[in-house]
Amino acid sequence: MIQNYYARRLGMSVFTVFAVITFSFFLIRYMPGGPMDYMIANLQQQGLSTARARELAATYTQVNPDQPVHIAYVEYLGEILTGSLGTSMWYDKPVADILIAALPWTLFVMSVSLILSFTMGILTGAVMAYRESTRLDSGGTLVSTFLTSIPYYLVAIVLLMAFAYQLGWFPTGGRFQSNLSVGWNAEFLLSVLRHGALPIMSITLTAFGGWALGMRGNSISVLGKDYLRVARLAGIPERDIVVKYVTPNAILPLYTNLMIAIGGIFGGSIILEQIFNYPGLGYYIYESINARDYPLMMGGFILITVAVVTTIFVADVTYSYIDPRAETGDSRETY
């Protein structure tokens, strides 16, 4: 039964990835103003005939304008099955190489942001729950709601203007100082931290409020349980009650959201990295959209899709190990 359940969930995940690839491929191909059209128009302005312009554009972009879309789709699926994501039209490099080089920088910024926001949110939410109906609780709820309501890109712009352009405390772009040698040395690592500080602050400030409100609600719900009253009557110290009973049961409902947030790391970086001119995965996806770079666009979308589907699958499979009360069967769902 368990194996069947896992196999069914795995099949659903694979189908989801396939469906997203198919939808994205046709959506991108039918977007108006592709790279061929853009280049043909430029060549025609230089006095070339339409036929010659199409020939040169096809050679440069490696796209056959007369090839039916469904044939191109089948060929693209074949390339994916062989482990190739194609070659970027704009950068003239393999898409996999571009994504692999950019991926660690995005993981650094977004994973640190997620860890900080989750930790701060859990601690803040727990304190607010234990101080329910006090000024601390009201003030914390107000601040958390306010920060959650602000888009992260708006905070990013404000931080960039204030601390980078006005005060000059942080760099205005890039991943590290260009004149430094890359390596595990203090100067380079400090430069990496300074360049990633503002993007990390932007996500952390706007995300921790949501975790805090969720933790507060879960903790208040747990604090009203009868078994906690019995534990207090039995003389169990309050510290043990918090550590062993309240916190684990309050965090459990947030587990699936945390896994989904991990999967959404890549997609959430697109606008952020463009604001800070931070060449990570999101930066290249944004640039590929502007340049109508089909292979790079598809490679980025596929990577985001696989990350989200994989983390949801892992959350579903591992939830029963974290919470043994979850049953395995048709009725078992974690999201």
Side-chain angles (χ1 to χ4, degrees), residues 129-130 219-220 222-242 245-246:
Y130 266 89
S219 297
I220 291 175
V222 173
L223 286 171
K225 299 293 184 182
D226 292 337
Y227 65 85
L228 290 184
R229 297 191 183 94
V230 174
R232 291 191 178 94
L233 292 175
I236 297 177
E238 189 66 24
R239 180 179 179 181
D240 291 346
I241 292 177
V242 172
Y245 302 108
V246 178

Side-chain angles (χ1 to χ4, degrees), residues 122 214-215 217-220 222 245-255:
I122 293 300
M215 183 65 181
N218 294 339
S219 297
I220 291 175
V222 173
Y245 302 108
V246 178
T247 302
N249 286 294
I251 290 179
L252 270 179
L254 300 176
Y255 174 71

Side-chain angles (χ1 to χ4, degrees), residues 61-210:
T61 59
Q62 300 177 13
V63 171
N64 182 2
D66 299 322
Q67 185 182 38
V69 176
H70 66 278
I71 300 296
Y73 170 70
V74 173
E75 291 182 354
Y76 187 72
L77 286 183
E79 290 183 359
I80 292 178
L81 293 176
T82 61
S84 172
L85 294 175
T87 302
S88 168
M89 299 174 183
W90 187 256
Y91 295 100
D92 195 24
K93 294 180 180 178
V95 171
D97 291 351
I98 296 174
L99 298 181
I100 290 174
L103 188 58
W105 300 98
T106 297
L107 282 177
F108 162 66
V109 169
M110 302 305 288
S111 60
V112 172
S113 304
L114 182 59
I115 292 172
L116 289 177
S117 62
F118 184 76
T119 304
M120 291 170 58
I122 293 300
L123 295 176
T124 305
V127 172
M128 289 160 56
Y130 266 89
R131 298 291 185 270
E132 184 184 6
S133 301
T134 64
R135 290 184 177 178
L136 177 64
D137 179 32
S138 301
T141 302
L142 179 64
V143 171
S144 299
T145 305
F146 175 72
L147 292 176
T148 305
S149 306
I150 302 176
Y152 72 87
Y153 50 83
L154 184 59
V155 175
I157 294 173
V158 172
L159 293 178
L160 184 66
M161 293 299 297
F163 295 107
Y165 285 103
Q166 296 295 328
L167 298 176
W169 292 354
F170 296 96
T172 57
R175 299 181 296 202
F176 54 86
Q177 198 171 333
S178 58
N179 60 351
L180 296 178
S181 58
V182 179
W184 294 100
N185 56 78
E187 192 175 11
F188 174 75
L189 294 177
L190 182 61
S191 177
V192 170
L193 289 176
R194 289 190 70 242
H195 283 74
L198 291 182
I200 290 172
M201 289 172 60
S202 304
I203 298 294
T204 302
L205 287 175
T206 54
F208 98 91

Side-chain angles (χ1 to χ4, degrees), residues 301-324:
F301 292 157
I302 290 173
L303 185 59
I304 293 173
T305 302
V306 171
V308 173
V309 171
T310 301
T311 51
I312 291 176
F313 176 74
V314 171
D316 198 36
V317 170
T318 58
Y319 193 82
S320 62
Y321 296 100
I322 296 175
D323 184 3

Side-chain angles (χ1 to χ4, degrees), residues 238-290:
E238 189 66 24
R239 180 179 179 181
D240 291 346
I241 292 177
V242 172
V243 174
K244 295 181 179 178
Y245 302 108
V246 178
T247 302
N249 286 294
I251 290 179
L252 270 179
L254 300 176
Y255 174 71
T256 304
N257 292 337
L258 177 63
M259 296 301 291
I260 295 175
I262 293 174
I265 278 177
F266 306 109
S269 66
I270 295 177
I271 299 177
L272 183 75
E273 292 179 354
Q274 193 65 30
I275 292 174
F276 289 102
N277 193 25
Y278 193 86
L281 180 65
Y283 175 88
Y284 285 106
I285 293 176
Y286 186 91
E287 292 297 316
S288 69
I289 295 173
N290 281 339

Side-chain angles (χ1 to χ4, degrees), residues 11-31:
M12 291 173 59
S13 300
V14 173
F15 176 77
T16 301
V17 173
F18 170 75
V20 171
I21 291 175
T22 302
F23 179 76
S24 301
F25 182 88
F26 286 100
L27 180 65
I28 290 174
R29 285 305 176 109
Y30 283 109
M31 286 174 60

